[in-house]
Amino acid sequence: MHDRSHDNINGQLKNSHYKSDIHYTLQMCQWLLKPIGVWPLIYNQTSRFEQLISIILMGTCFSSLLFIILPSGHHILFVEKNLHMKVKAFGPAGFCLSSTIKYCYLGLKGSSFERCIEHMRKDWMMVQDPNHRTIMLKYATISRKLITMCAVFLYTGGMSYHTIMQFLSKGKNKDNYTIRPLPYIGYDPFFDTQSSPTYEIVYCIHCFTAMIMYSISTVAYSLTTIFVTHICGQIQVQIARLQDLVESKEKRKYKDCDPFALIVHDHVEVLRFSNNIEEALREICFTEIIECTIDMCMLEYYCIMEWSVGDTITLLTFFTLLISFTFNIFIFCYIGEILTEQCSQIGTVSYEIDWYKLSPKEAYDLILLISISQHPPKLTAGKIIELSLNTFSTVAKTSVVYLNLLRTVTDW
């Protein structure tokens, strides 16, 4: 019954602006995904030429990431003997490794992301009421603002590490010989990085790879933000319909269907969409939780070390990165909290409306929504860690615990 009612509405009305709406929703994510070659893997409406370019870009990105991981990993594990230097080199190399893992998951989960985007496209096509479209656009705007903030924090802190810190911080001279700095180490056994043009080539590759890494991290945030804010918009649309139910506004709009059937159908679609999101993002979220915990610990350690030697430029750079990672993991956990809270709100609104003005049968049907809302969907990291504000506080406290352990080990 629900599907037939919904199909009748869909057959009669259609959002004529849905193409511009879905473009507005996905635009920033598209800007990030295209340069790293992942966009054709999660969006089926691409040309053969775009797919060919995507293969070339992915090969280039993987080669650049491995150009850092392999020499740095070899140097940390087999060459460097000083524990403090190992720790100092592990942070940047570890971030590159985690970015590579997330990049692999973005490619492997392409079909899952494609299902989520297709679901969003259908939602934009089927929105009927201009007020409902306004609600959805409002949450699309919120997602764009959150993505912008994450990108500014990541790119500002990250590129400062690769540019400003490398050339303005202390300790670049040795025995009256100026050492030209590189963000990543481990190339000396293979070639002389201090000679020209080898140094310039390696440094440019490092900066290019840095842009790839920060794009991958920002994409992980942007996909999560776009999907969850879309769900929030859909939930608010259902709440608006519930509030209109008593005044029978929905019945005046759609005479051929039961308004409560439409609400239940769309709520089921929201829950199904939530499950698809959780399935698509669980591995990336798990990688993100581990990465941010370790990176926050490392950056706290680096800040303490640079404070002790008085290197202001390096200290400010690491502190900016620390704020960036802290903010981004907070956004991840906050989005998970919002998802659970918004989906629970359906049950609260179902009770708070003037349900006693409905017929006994219609009022009794509200029990279904109230019951379902008692078990809202959750965004998890690998089906192990639930993303919530409690998780954020746990990550922050865990990073401090690891910091104390790290300082104890390095002081031996």
Side-chain angles (χ1 to χ4, degrees), residues 7 14 24 32 74 99 113-114 138 165 170 181-182 209 227 250 267 272 300 332 336 351 355 358 410:
D7 291 342
K14 184 178 180 179
Y24 178 77
L32 294 164
H74 175 267
S99 298
F113 291 124
E114 185 178 339
K138 170 189 171 184
M165 193 195 87
K170 300 177 181 179
L182 285 172
T209 309
F227 293 153
E250 290 281 347
H267 187 240
R272 184 176 293 116
E300 290 161 357
F332 247 113
Y351 181 78
W355 52 267
L358 300 172
T410 53

Side-chain angles (χ1 to χ4, degrees), residues 23 56 72 94 115 134 141 230 241 278 287 325 366 377 401 410:
H23 175 73
I56 297 173
S72 297
R115 285 197 300 270
T134 301
T141 302
H230 180 77
R241 285 173 173 165
E278 204 279 331
T287 305
F325 281 104
L366 290 175
V401 172
T410 53

Side-chain angles (χ1 to χ4, degrees), residues 150-161 164-165 299-300 303 312-328:
C150 289
V152 168
F153 272 110
L154 268 178
Y155 283 100
T156 301
M159 295 314 296
S160 296
Y161 171 78
I164 298 175
M165 193 195 87
L299 288 167
E300 290 161 357
C303 287
T312 306
I313 298 296
T314 304
L315 174 62
L316 289 175
T317 302
F318 284 140
F319 187 70
T320 303
L321 279 171
L322 177 60
I323 294 175
S324 171
F325 281 104
T326 304
F327 174 79
N328 288 334

Side-chain angles (χ1 to χ4, degrees), residues 80-366:
E80 185 61 59
K81 303 303 180 183
N82 185 283
L83 184 58
H84 174 72
M85 296 304 298
K86 281 179 179 284
V87 172
K88 192 171 182 178
F90 177 77
F95 177 72
C96 185
L97 177 61
S98 63
S99 298
T100 305
I101 294 173
K102 286 186 288 185
Y103 192 38
C104 294
Y105 278 126
L106 285 172
L108 294 174
K109 289 286 186 175
S111 58
S112 298
F113 291 124
E114 185 178 339
R115 285 197 300 270
C116 294
I117 291 176
E118 182 64 20
H119 191 116
M120 291 176 59
R121 190 180 69 84
K122 290 180 180 178
D123 286 342
W124 280 109
M125 288 179 63
M126 293 187 294
V127 63
Q128 312 299 317
D129 193 322
N131 293 328
H132 296 171
R133 178 172 175 265
T134 301
I135 292 172
M136 294 170 65
L137 285 173
K138 170 189 171 184
Y139 280 92
T141 302
I142 291 174
S143 73
R144 290 170 66 96
K145 291 180 179 178
L146 288 174
I147 293 168
T148 301
M149 292 174 66
C150 289
V152 168
F153 272 110
L154 268 178
Y155 283 100
T156 301
M159 295 314 296
S160 296
Y161 171 78
H162 287 80
T163 54
I164 298 175
M165 193 195 87
Q166 300 300 324
F167 294 101
L168 297 182
S169 60
K170 300 177 181 179
K172 300 304 178 186
N173 295 324
K174 184 179 180 181
D175 298 330
N176 295 325
Y177 176 72
T178 301
I179 300 175
R180 294 197 286 183
L182 285 172
Y184 305 94
I185 58 177
Y187 300 94
D188 291 337
F190 307 103
F191 46 80
D192 181 13
T193 56
Q194 296 299 306
S195 62
S196 295
T198 304
Y199 172 82
E200 287 77 9
I201 294 173
V202 172
Y203 181 77
C204 289
I205 293 175
H206 284 176
C207 291
F208 173 74
T209 309
M211 297 296 293
I212 295 172
M213 291 188 290
Y214 301 128
S215 295
I216 292 170
S217 294
T218 309
V219 161
Y221 296 116
S222 63
L223 287 171
T224 308
T225 303
I226 287 171
F227 293 153
V228 173
T229 52
H230 180 77
I231 286 180
C232 292
Q234 290 295 293
I235 290 293
Q236 292 303 315
V237 167
Q238 305 316 312
I239 288 174
R241 285 173 173 165
L242 278 170
Q243 293 170 340
D244 289 344
L245 192 61
V246 177
E247 291 82 8
S248 300
K249 292 180 181 178
E250 290 281 347
K251 290 182 180 179
R252 290 198 294 271
K253 291 176 189 172
Y254 309 124
K255 298 178 181 179
D256 297 338
C257 72
D258 179 5
F260 188 77
L262 177 63
I263 293 171
V264 172
H265 176 279
D266 286 352
H267 187 240
V268 171
E269 288 297 311
V270 167
L271 296 178
R272 184 176 293 116
F273 184 41
S274 301
N275 290 332
N276 289 338
I277 292 173
E278 204 279 331
E279 180 184 349
L281 291 170
R282 63 172 67 126
E283 292 87 359
I284 292 178
C285 290
F286 184 70
T287 305
E288 198 70 36
I289 289 288
I290 296 175
E291 173 199 302
C292 284
T293 304
I294 296 175
D295 287 342
M296 287 170 63
C297 168
M298 291 293 175
L299 288 167
E300 290 161 357
Y301 176 80
Y302 298 157
C303 287
I304 293 174
M305 294 298 103
E306 298 305 329
W307 177 275
S308 63
V309 300
D311 192 341
T312 306
I313 298 296
T314 304
L315 174 62
L316 289 175
T317 302
F318 284 140
F319 187 70
T320 303
L321 279 171
L322 177 60
I323 294 175
S324 171
F325 281 104
T326 304
F327 174 79
N328 288 334
I329 192 60
F330 171 78
I331 291 297
F332 247 113
C333 295
Y334 179 71
I335 287 172
E337 183 86 15
I338 288 295
L339 174 63
T340 302
E341 179 184 336
Q342 288 284 316
C343 292
S344 301
Q345 200 174 356
I346 286 286
T348 304
V349 174
S350 298
Y351 181 78
E352 289 179 346
I353 64 173
D354 297 336
W355 52 267
Y356 44 83
K357 295 181 180 179
L358 300 172
S359 66
K361 181 182 181 302
E362 291 175 322
Y364 185 79
D365 288 340
L366 290 175

